[in-house]
């Protein structure tokens, strides 16, 4: 028995292994590329069961996988991203958040309580600004574990 006849005899098992391998990788990456390759492998398996020679199986599977990656994957990704939560999270959720000063805030130190209930160490952007306890503030940016705050517009106008 030569190598080509052995491959032809066991091609269906090779296709199953390739399909399972691509599906496992897809479960780890979740970017739909390996799902498209697994579907291409299914097409290769079907051509094997139809009696096509191994070289034709590989060509048909590759064409199917490429077509799926180029045409179907972008549409599926757009559909998945359309339903994603657009609300800001982490640091982005803190920007613009209001709060009030607990301990005097200067360029060097201070403490504020934000409207979400978190207490943060804080400082101001400017050397000449000092915010006293009770002053309403908003978060301008986050530097590490320190909130850089500024007086709210209404408070600054007083």
């Amino acid at each position: 028995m030569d190598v080509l006849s052995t491959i032809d005899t066991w091609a269906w098992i090779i296709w199953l292994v390739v399909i399972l391998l691509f599906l496992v990788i897809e479960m780890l990456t979740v970017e739909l590329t390996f799902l498209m390759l697994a579907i291409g492998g299914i097409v290769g398996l079907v051509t094997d069961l139809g009696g096509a020679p191994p070289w034709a199986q590989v060509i048909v599977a590759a064409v199917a996988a490429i077509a799926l990656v180029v045409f179907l994957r972008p549409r599926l990704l757009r559909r998945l991203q359309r339903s994603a939560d657009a609300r800001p999270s982490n640091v982005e959720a803190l920007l613009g958040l209001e709060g009030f000063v607990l301990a005097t805030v200067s360029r060097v130190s201070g403490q504020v309580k934000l409207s979400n209930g978190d207490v943060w160490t804080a400082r101001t952007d400017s050397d000449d600004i000092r915010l006293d306890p009770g002053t309403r503030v908003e978060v301008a940016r986050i530097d590490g574990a320190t909130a850089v705050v500024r007086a709210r517009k209404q408070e600054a106008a007083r």
Side-chain angles (χ1 to χ4, degrees), residues 105-120:
V105 177
S106 66
R107 176 81 172 135
V108 179
S109 66
Q111 192 175 43
V112 295
K113 182 170 187 171
L114 301 178
S115 60
N116 66 359
D118 291 346
V119 176
W120 280 71

Side-chain angles (χ1 to χ4, degrees), residues 88-104:
S89 63
N90 300 329
V91 172
E92 291 84 23
L94 297 173
L95 300 178
L97 199 62
E98 297 176 1
F100 61 92
V101 176
L102 293 176
T104 303

